[in-house]
Amino acid sequence: MKGLGALIAIAGGLVLVLLVVLKGLLAEDTHAEPMATVKPVAAPPGLREQAPGPPTIVPGTRTPRAAVAAKTAKSAPVEPAPLVVNESPADKAFAGDPDDDPPTSNDPVATKATLRTAMETVEPQVRECISRFSNGVSGTVMATWNVVSKRGQSLVEAPGIDSDGTTIENQDQLLDCLKDTAFQMNFAPNPGGMPVIATRKITIESGTLVSQEMLHFRRIH
C-alpha cells in the first residue's frame, strides 16, 4: 500500500509540472508582437500637382422636338402657289393648239350645205378606196370629220370612223382610206367661226359604191 501511494504521488507531480510548462508556452504566444501594418505611400507634392483631376461632366441641353420641327419647316423652301387664270370656254376649247383661231361668234365655220358640197367633191377618191381595198365587201361606213378655223383658214382635222352604224368590220385598209378622203375636202375661210363635226354615211354593195350621204353636223363648243 505504501508503494502504490508513492506512485500516485509521483504521477501527480509530473502532471503538475506538465501543466506549468504548458502555461508558460501559452503566455509567450499571447505576448507576441502583432504584424506590421503597411502604410500607404503618399505621392510627392510635385506629382500631386501635375496629376489631372477627374473630368467634369457638364449635362447637355436637349432641344425640344417641337422647336426642331419648327426650325426644319422654316428652312424648307416654300413653293409659290399656282397662278389661277380665268379662261373663257372658247379659250379652254382651243388651249391645246395655239394655231387654232378662237371662235368669236356662234356661227359655224361650215354649214350643212357647204359640208355636203365638200363631201361630193371627194366621191372619186371614195370610189378608188373601195376599188382597191373592199374585196367585194358589202355594208355601211359612218365616217366623221371636223372642220376648224386655223391660221385664218378652214381646215379638216381628226377624221374617224363611228362604230355606231358601221357594219363593215376587219377591213382596216378600206376604213382608213375612206376616212382619210376627208382631208381632200376644201372649205372657204371663215375666221372666228365655231368648229363643227360632221358625219357621212357610205354604203357599199359587193365592192361598189351605192351612195354617200351627208347625215348631220353640230358645233363643237
Side-chain angles (χ1 to χ4, degrees):
M1 293 295 293
K2 292 182 179 180
L4 181 58
L7 288 174
I8 293 174
I10 292 171
L14 291 174
V15 172
L16 180 60
V17 172
L18 182 59
L19 290 175
V20 172
V21 172
L22 290 176
K23 184 177 180 181
L25 291 176
L26 290 175
E28 291 179 359
D29 291 339
T30 304
H31 290 85
E33 292 184 1
M35 295 179 61
T37 303
V38 179
K39 297 182 179 180
V41 179
L47 293 179
R48 287 200 301 267
E49 294 176 359
Q50 296 178 3
T56 302
I57 300 176
V58 179
T61 57
R62 298 183 61 183
T63 304
R65 293 184 180 180
V68 174
K71 184 177 181 181
T72 304
K74 185 177 180 180
S75 60
V78 179
E79 297 183 359
L83 179 63
V84 179
V85 180
N86 294 325
E87 296 179 328
S88 66
D91 293 335
K92 293 181 180 179
F94 291 88
D97 190 342
D99 292 332
D100 288 338
D101 299 330
T104 56
S105 70
N106 289 327
D107 295 334
V109 69
T111 64
K112 189 172 183 177
T114 57
L115 289 166
R116 181 184 293 108
T117 299
M119 178 194 69
E120 292 172 351
T121 62
V122 300
E123 186 171 308
Q125 289 88 337
V126 171
R127 291 183 182 277
E128 183 179 356
C129 290
I130 295 172
S131 174
R132 293 178 59 188
F133 303 114
S134 69
N135 298 319
V137 73
S138 297
T140 58
V141 177
M142 306 294 285
T144 63
W145 74 101
N146 298 347
V147 183
V148 301
S149 180
K150 187 185 293 289
R151 299 185 299 274
Q153 300 294 320
S154 298
L155 304 176
V156 172
E157 282 190 345
I161 300 296
D162 188 351
S163 59
D164 292 338
T166 298
T167 60
I168 296 177
E169 299 178 351
N170 302 321
Q171 297 287 338
D172 293 342
Q173 286 183 313
L174 174 61
L175 297 179
D176 288 343
C177 186
L178 289 174
K179 71 180 179 62
D180 288 344
T181 59
F183 286 123
Q184 306 299 319
M185 300 179 186
N186 295 309
F187 297 89
N190 186 5
M194 186 75 70
V196 298
I197 180 172
T199 304
R200 54 180 167 150
K201 179 181 179 180
I202 303 171
T203 303
I204 304 172
E205 185 174 342
S206 300
T208 302
L209 175 65
V210 175
S211 64
Q212 183 180 212
E213 305 172 64
M214 176 67 197
L215 293 185
H216 51 76
F217 82 105
R218 62 179 177 84
R219 296 173 179 85
I220 302 175
H221 297 286

